[in-house]
Structures are given as structure tokens and as C-alpha cells.
Amino acid sequence: MSYTSARLQKLFDNLQQSERGGLGIFVTAGDPDRQTSLAILKGLPAAGADMIELGMPFSDPMADGPSIQAASLRALNNGASLASTLEILTAFRADDQVTPVVLMGYYNPIYSYGVDAFLSAAIDAGADGLIIVDLPPEEDNELCIPALDRGLPFVRLATPTTNDQRLPAVLKNTSGFVYYVSITGITGTAAVPRDLAAAAVKRLKKHTDLPVAVGFGIKTAEDVAAITSVADAAIVGSAVVEQIRDSLDPSGQATNATVENVLSFVATLATGTQRSAPAG
Amino acid sequence: MGKTKIIAETGAGQHGVATATACALFGMECEVYMGAEDVRRQKPNVDRMRLLGATVVPVTSGSGTLKDAMNEALRAWVAKAETHFYIIGTVAGPHPYPAMVRDFQSVIGEELRWQLEAFEGAGRLPDTLIACIGGGSNAMGLFHPFLDDEEVEIIGVEAAGHGVDTDQHAASLAGGRPGILHGNRTYLLQNDDGQITEAHSISAGLDYPGIGPEHAWLRDSGRVRYESATDTEALEAFALCSRLEGIIPALEPSHALAYTGKIIADLPADHIVVMNLCGRGDKDLEAVLPLLDEMGLLEV
């Protein structure tokens, strides 16, 4: 069975028709504060983001490098919670019913909130999928299956160390798209060479008909161009939240430049998504 | 497995020293992640690890203690999994680590069984087992071979820091609730939003907001009783054991000693209590001596 949110389905259909790759932008909800975070989210689609990956802040983000760790802490220090993340998403959806938003994070805040209550709230808020990095396929009964039962896609990460034996287990309940982690490691590290990414996407496509988005280590418009020439979408995270970090005042609070810096950076990244040849 | 390099995390440095020793013996590269705060307060073990050829990586994120060291070790490991093996220092982490570490640590309880048989005759079991618990590896090693011997009373002692009724302790069973961290579901110190809160204990080895998942199960099943001892009680036990026994205990088992002291006077003379003195206190002297001095527990 395949579950794909209408918004995700539409996005990947459109991308295929227009023969270009998509740009996914990761930001942490509530970074650096709720109001600024919402202003950034609202500006992302016009700046060129095709999809938003919205980080749910967690105290111990084990899959994340220093930039996203810091983003999580900024948000938490300014009062962010799982509930406020969903409120930000609700406010975003009031104006935008088109751009897919996938919630990314770690299981404990969801477990603490209650799986059923969370799924209801996430769907009500307008989420289009979940990426929960510390729930392996062996634990699909925890959240993945309940999410799929409610029609909410569960996007799983595949990595260079996910071999052909393991891949079917990883892909079994994955829906929406497959998130290929282009490097072995955490977010924010160096970009992977294009030929390696191409080979990896090709390998994945042998196992799945789902779109493949590639993330981790993508920082520039050139990186985006390289990745979207071989994959359905590129996701940029650390480099975006570094724009937030670099715009803060000495006390770590947002300035007039924060929203603008992020959006102009995203507009630059988006120039990398124009291509003439389809993925192959 | 073809892995030639080793990653470990450590709190008090005991596991780091053990891992560095094994790596020195086998000529393997070893990097040990350790909270910056722990690097400071457990300097002798840092020196030992460096002498043994290990690289000690101070971790500054979070509170700079064991939880953060584990986060960073996991981050390092996922980037190097092709060449590196991660030797986790406690009965926590993703499956099958809790079971693996338990089985390795069980040499403690197995040896106790042999020794009791040698000294007391066949079939004599201990009456009470006591061990301190951070992640809970030394305790699990002592307890596990006796879990099916129902007549054996088993007590784990958590670190109560400034008291379990304050927000400055590391007693995840007494003051936490179930959650998921580092790949396992167990009792965790956390806020209402499921954010992990910082633990506090004077002892680096117990300063962890979680506990091995098997301890969580043993507590829920009632097989093991879990108690706690505060920083102050542990310091008093540290001084008392040094003075009475000529043994300088590590701060970690000083918590178990403190609890042992509370119950031992009321027990019959033939009641065998075995407390796991899982580390020596030389590593703690620099941090502990000024505190003992303040408490009036040092000779002038």
C-alpha cells in the first residue's frame, strides 16, 4: 500500500512534468524565535523552496551536526515545544495550502506528547509526512504504521551504508519519498561528489518507484544543481540555519536581517534547480 | 568484522581507560568521547587514557557530561562505521548493546558465585547484592547471574545529587518517566515536552539522565529494588571507607556504600551482603578533597 499526501504527490508530479528537480529547505521550528521562524516559513515558497522540512526541536539531536544542534537549542531556549511547532505549521497553512511540509525530528517528544494525539494534531496542522530519524524499521509499530493508517506518509532515510540486503526493510513502509543521506555521517558535513550521488540514486530507484530526495552536505546552488540533475529533489538544511545563526545579534536574538538573509540565500539555491534533462 | 579502529564514550573514565588498555594491547586506534566537565573532574583517568595511546575528545555540547559524550560518540560513529567499532560503556544504547554489555559485565556476578562457593561451600548464595547505577553496567554485571535466585535480595542505588525532590539529581528511576534516548526506551529525566533534562551528580560515572532498559524492566517487575544516595551521603561514605577499610573507593560506588551503611547494622551476622566496589577513588581526589575539607572530614 502506498500513502502519499496530496501535496507531495502533486509536487513530484509537477516536478516531473516541468523536468526540473525540487528544492527542499530545512529549518528548525521556532529558530531563533517563533515569530521570526514563521516569517521565514511564509517566505520560503516565494523564495524558491518547493518543499519544507520543518525540524521539531530536540535536546539531543544525535543525527545532527553543530549547526542544527545549535538551531534546536536556540528554539528551545526561546520556549519552543512540539505544541508550538504544530502551531507554527498551522499558522503557515492558513496562507499556504500547496507547499508540502514534512516534520523532521526525534521520537521522544512525540512519545511524550502521545502518538495518537500527535498524529491528529500533525494532520490537523497540515503536515505532509514525518521523518523520525531514531525509529528504525524494526520499530514500525510505534509510529510508522499508526501514521500510515491515518494517511500520513512516513519518510525513511537511506544511507550509503544501507546495503542491498537492508534496503528492502528500510523501504517497506516508506512513503511520500525516500530521503537519501548522501554521506555517511551527520548533517552539515562536506558534499558528496555528483557521480557517487548519481550511482546511489540509481541503486535506490531499482528498489523503489518513490521519488528520491537527497540531503546532508548540500550547501550551494552548484550542489543543488548537481544533485537535482540526478535526483528528484535536493534538501538543504545546515547551510540555511547557518544563515539564521550569522544574522543574530550578540545576544542570539533575531535582527532585521534574519528573514531577508535566509530568503535571499534560498533564492540563490533555487537557481540550481533549473535543468533541461530529466533525472536518469 | 574488519573494523580496525575503536570509538568509546566515557563518564568517569573507567570505561575509557579499559577500552584504551585493550586498544593498546591489540595495537588499535582508539578515540574516547568524554564530556568537557568530566575531562576536568576526572583528570587522572584522562591522563591514563592518553598514556595508553588513546585520543580523548572533550565534548562541550549540552552539560558536557556522559549523555553528551554518548551523543557525540554516536555522531562520530555513523560517519566512520565502515572502519570503526563502537564499544559502548554501559547497558544502554541501541539493541543489541544493552544485552551485549550485560553479558560481558556478568563476569562480575559469575565470579562472585565461584568465590562464595569456594569460601562458604556449595550452594551458598549471597543474601543481598548492592551496586550503584548510572547507566547501570556494573550493577547489571553483578545482578544478572542472580536474577533467577529469588531468595537473593537485589538493590540498585541511583545518584540523588542534591536530592530526588530537587531538579539536581541523576535518579532516572526515582524521578524520571519512560522515553526514548540513544536507541532505547527506558526511564529518562525529561521535561513535559519530552526534552531530556540535564542530570546532576557529583560522580561523573552516574551523571546520566537515563538508565539501561533492563534496569527499567527489573524495577517495573519488582525483582530489583532501587534506592538512592545523595552527593553528601556519597562523600561521607567515601571518607568513611577510606578511613575504616584503607580502601579509597570511587565516587560512583560510594553511593552504594552509603546505602549499604544504612541497612547493614540491622542485619544478622551471617547475612552476606555483597556490594560492588566498581572503581577506585584516586581519580576523584582532586575534586573530592576540597569538599571533604569543607565538611570537616579530613585530618588537618
Side-chain angles (χ1 to χ4, degrees):
Chain A
M1 204 178 334
S2 174
Y3 300 82
T4 301
S5 89
R7 277 184 288 262
L8 276 176
Q9 180 80 60
K10 206 166 179 181
L11 169 65
F12 285 109
D13 285 351
N14 287 345
L15 288 171
Q16 202 165 26
Q17 276 161 25
S18 58
E19 296 192 346
R20 72 174 185 92
L23 175 64
I25 295 295
F26 171 95
V27 285
T28 298
D31 172 30
D33 61 73
R34 184 174 167 147
Q35 197 187 347
T36 310
S37 181
L38 179 59
I40 291 170
L41 273 192
K42 286 187 169 182
L44 282 177
D50 296 296
M51 172 170 72
I52 295 168
E53 194 190 340
L54 187 60
M56 299 178 280
F58 183 49
S59 54
D60 294 83
M62 280 161 290
D64 288 302
S67 298
I68 295 179
Q69 289 174 43
S72 229
L73 280 182
R74 283 195 296 269
L76 290 172
N77 289 339
N78 277 324
S81 65
L82 187 51
S84 73
T85 296
L86 294 170
E87 284 164 19
I88 289 172
L89 176 54
T90 303
F92 170 79
R93 271 282 170 260
D95 298 336
D96 184 318
Q97 288 87 46
V98 177
T99 310
V101 177
V102 177
L103 295 170
M104 182 272 175
Y106 297 80
Y107 185 38
N108 199 53
I110 295 170
Y111 181 77
S112 175
Y113 194 97
V115 165
D116 284 340
F118 168 74
L119 289 175
S120 298
I123 290 167
D124 286 350
D128 299 291
L130 302 176
I131 302 174
I132 308 300
V133 292
D134 55 353
L135 277 175
E138 285 72 15
E139 307 296 339
D140 272 357
N141 288 334
E142 285 287 328
L143 179 64
C144 174
I145 301 292
L148 296 186
D149 284 346
R150 306 281 290 271
L152 188 62
F154 198 88
V155 175
R156 187 100 58 196
L157 277 62
T159 75
T161 53
T162 313
N163 60 27
D164 285 336
Q165 265 176 311
R166 174 72 172 163
L167 206 46
V170 168
L171 294 172
K172 184 171 169 246
N173 289 317
T174 296
S175 56
F177 61 95
V178 180
Y179 190 134
Y180 182 67
V181 175
S182 60
I183 43 107
T184 49
I186 52 178
T187 55
T189 31
V192 68
R194 174 181 149 151
D195 51 341
L196 282 182
V201 172
K202 208 169 160 188
R203 181 169 76 92
L204 282 178
K205 293 273 189 183
K206 272 191 229 162
H207 291 266
T208 181
D209 294 330
L210 291 168
V212 176
V214 177
F216 287 43
I218 302 173
K219 293 173 184 304
T220 63
E222 291 71 31
D223 295 341
V224 170
I227 291 297
T228 52
S229 70
V230 298
D232 298 290
I235 299 177
V236 186
S238 295
V240 177
V241 303
E242 282 162 12
Q243 293 293 323
I244 298 179
R245 177 197 65 197
D246 293 346
S247 74
L248 301 178
D249 71 20
S251 69
Q253 302 304 315
T255 62
N256 290 335
T258 301
V259 176
E260 179 47 35
N261 281 13
V262 173
L263 297 182
S264 62
F265 178 67
V266 169
T268 309
L269 290 174
T271 62
T273 65
Q274 306 305 325
R275 66 169 146 85
S276 48
Chain B
M1 297 176 81
K3 320 257 172 168
T4 56
K5 298 170 184 180
I6 297 299
I7 288 176
E9 94 294 339
T10 196
Q14 306 290 78
H15 175 64
V17 169
T19 307
T21 304
C23 288
L25 179 63
F26 293 115
M28 300 175 93
E29 261 181 49
C30 177
E31 54 189 61
V32 181
Y33 290 80
M34 188 171 188
E37 165 67 8
D38 294 342
V39 168
R40 183 191 65 73
R41 59 180 166 169
Q42 305 281 251
K43 185 167 179 297
N45 276 346
V46 175
D47 294 340
R48 280 190 192 103
M49 286 184 267
R50 293 177 56 207
L51 184 61
L52 289 160
T55 304
V56 178
V57 184
V59 176
T60 52
S61 60
S63 51
T65 57
L66 180 54
K67 174 194 73 150
D68 312 294
M70 200 152 177
N71 286 340
E72 211 53 41
L74 284 165
R75 288 179 185 122
W77 186 38
V78 296
K80 307 173 180 179
E82 299 280 352
T83 50
H84 288 62
F85 186 76
Y86 182 13
I87 303 183
I88 293 189
T90 192
V91 287
H95 175 75
Y97 277 107
M100 279 166 55
V101 176
R102 173 200 67 203
D103 290 348
F104 295 144
Q105 294 279 336
S106 288
V107 295
I108 302 166
E110 299 293 351
E111 182 167 337
L112 169 59
R113 206 176 258 278
W114 301 335
Q115 287 195 16
L116 269 179
E117 202 161 306
F119 288 109
E120 302 284 336
R124 182 66 165 102
L125 292 170
D127 296 298
T128 301
L129 300 176
I130 303 180
C132 65
I133 313 241
S137 59
N138 93 84
M140 192 55 75
L142 177 66
F143 298 171
H144 191 256
F146 295 97
L147 290 177
D148 291 335
D149 299 303
E150 284 174 21
E151 62 271 42
V152 179
E153 177 187 37
I154 306 182
I155 301 168
V157 183
E158 294 190 286
H162 297 155
V164 290
D165 49 354
T166 71
D167 59 1
Q168 294 275 302
H169 66 80
S172 39
L173 289 177
R177 60 192 163 84
I180 291 90
L181 179 68
H182 296 148
N184 61 110
R185 169 159 32 203
T186 187
Y187 283 80
L188 299 173
L189 300 179
Q190 54 185 315
N191 70 12
D192 291 344
D193 189 41
Q195 308 296 337
I196 310 303
T197 51
E198 286 177 10
H200 164 80
S201 170
I202 191 170
S203 136
L206 306 184
D207 198 350
Y208 181 67
I211 186 168
E214 195 164 347
H215 283 295
W217 175 70
L218 291 170
R219 169 237 166 90
D220 285 358
S221 74
R223 176 63 187 96
V224 176
R225 195 169 94 229
Y226 292 88
E227 303 285 350
S228 64
T230 63
D231 286 354
T232 305
E233 289 169 332
L235 285 167
E236 287 165 355
F238 183 101
L240 189 67
C241 183
S242 302
R243 187 69 57 90
L244 291 183
E245 300 288 345
I247 296 169
I248 302 173
L251 270 175
E252 289 77 21
S254 294
H255 289 72
L257 273 167
Y259 187 75
T260 305
K262 285 185 188 172
I263 61 167
I264 202 119
D266 298 329
L267 297 173
D270 62 347
H271 188 103
I272 299 180
V273 176
V274 178
M275 194 219 79
N276 194 13
L277 208 156
C278 59
R280 49 192 276 175
D282 311 50
K283 68 179 179 62
D284 296 312
L285 290 184
E286 198 178 322
V288 161
L289 287 178
L291 298 170
L292 293 184
D293 208 16
E294 256 174 53
M295 293 164 74
L297 293 172
L298 279 187
E299 289 298 323
V300 186

